[in-house]
Amino acid sequence: MPSPSSNTARHHCPRLMRGALVSLLLASSVVGADAESYSLESCRKLALQNNKELMVRRQQQEKAAYQKKEAFAAYLPAIDFAGGYLYNQKELSIFDSDQLLPVKSFNLQTQGYEFNLVKNPYTGEPIKSPSGQYVPEQVALIPKESMTYDIHNVFFGAVTLTQPIYMGGKIVAMNKITGYAAEIADKLYASEAQNVIYAVDGAYWTVVSLKAKHKLAKSYVSLLDTLRHDVDLMVRQGVATRSDLLSVDVRLNQANVDLTKVENGLSLSRMALAQVCGLPVDSQMEVEDEDNLEINPREEIARSYDMETVYASRPDLDALALAAKVAEQQAKVELSAMLPNIALIGGYSFSNPNMFDGFKKRFDGAFSVGVMVKIPIFHWGGNYYKYKAARSNAVVSQLQLANAREMVDLQVSQAAFKAQEAIKTYNMTTTNLEKAQDNLRTATLGFHEGVVTSTDVMTAQTAWLQANSEKIDAAIDVQLCDVYLSKVLGRLKY
């Protein structure tokens, strides 16, 4: 039955609706004077430019490129120079004193040279000294000074050239390793870039979600504020009790507390987005989708995928596959330690003083060319065990790749399932919101007619608030699940 309060409630119905409408308009139109609006794409670009981990990855790419060039240089001849100076305290003397050398004369009878010896004039036999040596008749004097060399200051140097001919396959293997390492650096950069984009999307849609909930909270406060005004008038007219007003006050105070929490969370989410984008955390970042949360989710999510295509699209799997190839080449490097090494060597060495044409205190030198061969013979199995360890490491790399592929299979299945469930949840929350809006409209009209209490209206408002909040969460979940699915499928572009 209509009550006397119905006229009062009907009189204040336009105020209730106007209050909610004004709140929604204000929430959507107020933008900070010093804030800058960013699109999702611009946030992604900022993050890719400023992310420190990506900067590290870029440096690793450069490092891998330099290492690849370094490995190629091993094919080419190495040219080195070494030189020095040496001071010697003493001179170098071949004799300790003057030397006397016997001389020979030509004998016509024997047609040969013979020593000139002192002979006994009576017997004609050569005379020996007390030491038992024959006494020469003539000697040549070699002064000690003539065989003494000044080596106080010695300058020396050498230019050498080494050209590898066969190193047991080590150089070829190292070039392949550095080539794979350069590709790994590229793949890891791509994988990290996808992680950054996923993090940016999460922070971006969190801001959108909290901004939508902030508007929703303000609208809810406005509804409760209008309801409190109406109940207050009804209390004054004696058609409502003080308890009804206190119930509305309690609910309104709680709504204001929730609004404050949402405002704080929105501020923190903006800081988090700024940090991910590489901007100062106090940047007032507004995002373009703050006032446009309505989405059109895809109706169909594939239940199965060509996993070989997925494997080929995942940069992290490519990096693991390349790492397995690196392990194979590393085993070849260890094998080269058991094979012969052959190199061509050449050089030009010089010194001052030099002995090439007598002892002369000037610079002079000479070229030399040769071949060096090193053949390992016996090392107590050390090289062999090192090779076997490298082979085991290669097997481990293959097993890790296989395990990673299995985990990707699980990731894809879970991501597709979550994306499907997110769409279903979003569709259900849309239906629930329509019902909650109808319920709120009916409760409001019943309150104006006096057949519904303020408690029933607050219950309907709470249900409307919850339905709106669930739809916001579902919409954000659809966006994030879609991005995550693209990421695990290797389709997330950057």
Side-chain angles (χ1 to χ4, degrees):
M1 294 293 294
S3 64
S5 64
S6 62
N7 292 331
T8 303
R10 189 180 298 111
H11 175 72
H12 293 290
C13 176
R15 181 181 299 152
L16 177 68
M17 303 305 293
R18 284 199 304 271
L21 180 60
V22 170
S23 176
L24 287 172
L25 290 175
L26 287 176
S28 62
S29 62
V30 175
V31 179
D34 57 346
E36 184 177 354
S37 181
Y38 294 87
S39 66
L40 178 59
E41 189 63 27
S42 63
C43 288
R44 287 179 172 183
K45 289 182 179 179
L46 283 172
L48 292 175
Q49 292 172 359
N50 301 324
N51 184 266
K52 298 299 187 296
E53 186 62 31
L54 283 180
M55 292 181 184
V56 172
R57 296 295 183 188
R58 281 192 284 268
Q59 290 300 317
Q60 289 176 340
Q61 285 179 304
E62 292 186 14
K63 173 185 174 182
Y66 293 140
Q67 288 177 332
K68 184 177 180 180
K69 293 179 180 179
E70 175 192 357
F72 180 77
Y75 284 119
L76 306 177
I79 301 175
D80 300 290
F81 169 79
Y85 164 78
L86 182 66
Y87 172 78
N88 296 296
Q89 177 187 4
K90 297 182 178 181
E91 295 180 337
L92 179 65
S93 180
I94 296 178
F95 303 135
D96 59 350
S97 61
D98 295 342
Q99 300 295 310
L100 299 176
L101 298 181
V103 296
K104 289 185 177 182
S105 298
F106 187 77
N107 190 328
L108 293 175
Q109 295 179 353
T110 61
Q111 296 294 307
Y113 286 94
E114 296 179 354
F115 284 108
N116 296 322
L117 301 177
V118 176
K119 297 181 180 179
N120 190 320
Y122 301 103
T123 63
E125 295 294 327
I127 298 175
K128 292 184 178 180
S129 66
S131 62
Q133 300 292 331
Y134 290 105
V135 179
E137 187 177 33
Q138 295 179 338
V139 294
L141 174 65
I142 302 178
K144 175 184 177 182
E145 290 77 8
S146 64
M147 300 299 290
T148 300
Y149 305 103
D150 180 8
I151 60 169
H152 288 305
N153 299 290
V154 178
F155 300 88
F156 55 90
V159 178
T160 59
L161 181 146
T162 305
Q163 172 62 61
I165 298 176
Y166 178 71
M167 295 287 112
K170 180 179 180 179
I171 296 178
V172 175
M174 289 302 299
N175 273 269
K176 290 183 178 180
I177 287 175
T178 53
Y180 294 145
E183 293 184 51
I184 290 174
D186 294 338
K187 298 301 181 182
L188 292 178
Y189 178 87
S191 179
E192 186 61 30
Q194 290 186 351
N195 292 335
V196 169
I197 290 177
Y198 183 64
V200 169
D201 283 24
Y204 182 93
W205 290 112
T206 298
V207 172
V208 174
S209 171
L210 290 174
K211 184 59 182 293
K213 290 187 176 182
H214 180 255
K215 294 178 183 178
L216 179 61
K218 292 179 69 174
S219 299
Y220 183 56
V221 169
S222 179
L223 289 175
L224 288 173
D225 187 63
T226 303
L227 178 61
R228 185 196 180 284
H229 184 272
D230 293 340
V231 173
D232 184 52
L233 290 178
M234 294 170 63
V235 170
R236 294 178 185 177
Q237 295 175 3
V239 294
T241 65
R242 183 70 178 170
S243 177
D244 295 331
L245 181 61
L246 290 174
S247 297
V248 177
D249 284 339
V250 171
R251 190 65 61 87
L252 179 59
N253 290 337
Q254 183 60 45
N256 281 311
V257 171
D258 293 339
L259 175 61
T260 301
K261 291 181 179 179
V262 173
E263 289 174 345
N264 293 337
L266 179 58
S267 298
L268 293 175
S269 67
R270 293 189 194 280
M271 292 181 185
L273 178 60
Q275 191 276 330
V276 172
C277 293
L279 299 177
V281 293
D282 57 351
S283 302
Q284 295 297 320
M285 293 190 68
E286 301 283 347
V287 298
E288 290 185 355
D289 291 304
E290 285 186 6
D291 301 316
N292 182 28
L293 188 55
E294 293 297 329
I295 62 172
N296 296 313
R298 295 179 299 178
E299 294 296 334
E300 294 294 334
I301 298 293
R303 296 183 178 274
S304 61
Y305 297 89
D306 181 3
M307 294 310 300
E308 291 300 325
T309 302
V310 174
Y311 297 153
S313 303
R314 289 284 297 261
D316 51 347
L317 283 184
D318 287 342
L320 285 175
L322 290 168
K325 293 182 179 180
V326 168
E328 290 287 343
Q329 295 301 319
Q330 189 62 45
K332 293 183 179 180
V333 171
E334 302 301 339
L335 178 63
S336 68
M338 295 186 288
L339 300 176
N341 292 344
I342 304 173
L344 175 67
I345 58 174
Y348 178 82
S349 58
F350 57 90
S351 65
N352 179 10
N354 71 85
M355 297 286 290
F356 291 107
D357 190 16
F359 184 84
K360 292 183 174 61
K361 297 187 69 174
R362 67 184 182 186
F363 281 103
D364 199 1
F367 288 99
S368 59
V369 179
V371 177
M372 181 182 70
V373 179
K374 177 184 177 182
I375 302 176
I377 297 177
F378 186 67
H379 294 272
W380 301 98
N383 293 335
Y384 176 74
Y385 297 140
K386 187 180 293 186
Y387 167 71
K388 295 299 289 184
R391 289 298 311 163
S392 297
N393 189 51
V395 174
V396 170
S397 298
Q398 292 291 343
L399 293 174
Q400 289 175 339
L401 176 60
N403 183 63
R405 289 190 172 190
E406 293 177 1
M407 295 302 296
V408 168
D409 292 345
L410 179 60
Q411 270 188 338
V412 171
S413 299
Q414 290 179 337
F417 177 78
K418 290 180 179 179
Q420 294 166 1
E421 291 301 308
I423 292 176
K424 291 179 182 178
T425 302
Y426 177 78
N427 292 333
M428 287 188 292
T429 56
T430 301
T431 302
N432 292 341
L433 178 58
E434 293 173 357
K435 294 179 180 179
Q437 288 172 338
D438 290 339
N439 182 43
L440 177 59
R441 188 181 304 109
T442 301
T444 302
L445 292 176
F447 178 71
H448 296 158
E449 296 296 332
V451 296
V452 173
T453 65
S454 60
T455 302
D456 295 329
V457 175
M458 288 189 293
T459 301
Q461 290 173 344
T462 302
W464 171 82
L465 175 67
Q466 182 177 359
N468 265 291
S469 180
E470 289 176 349
K471 183 182 177 182
I472 292 171
D473 291 338
I476 297 300
D477 197 36
V478 168
Q479 295 286 0
L480 295 180
C481 286
D482 184 66
V483 174
Y484 182 69
L485 180 59
S486 298
K487 179 177 180 295
V488 300
L489 292 175
R491 300 174 182 174
L492 190 58
K493 302 302 180 182
Y494 61 93

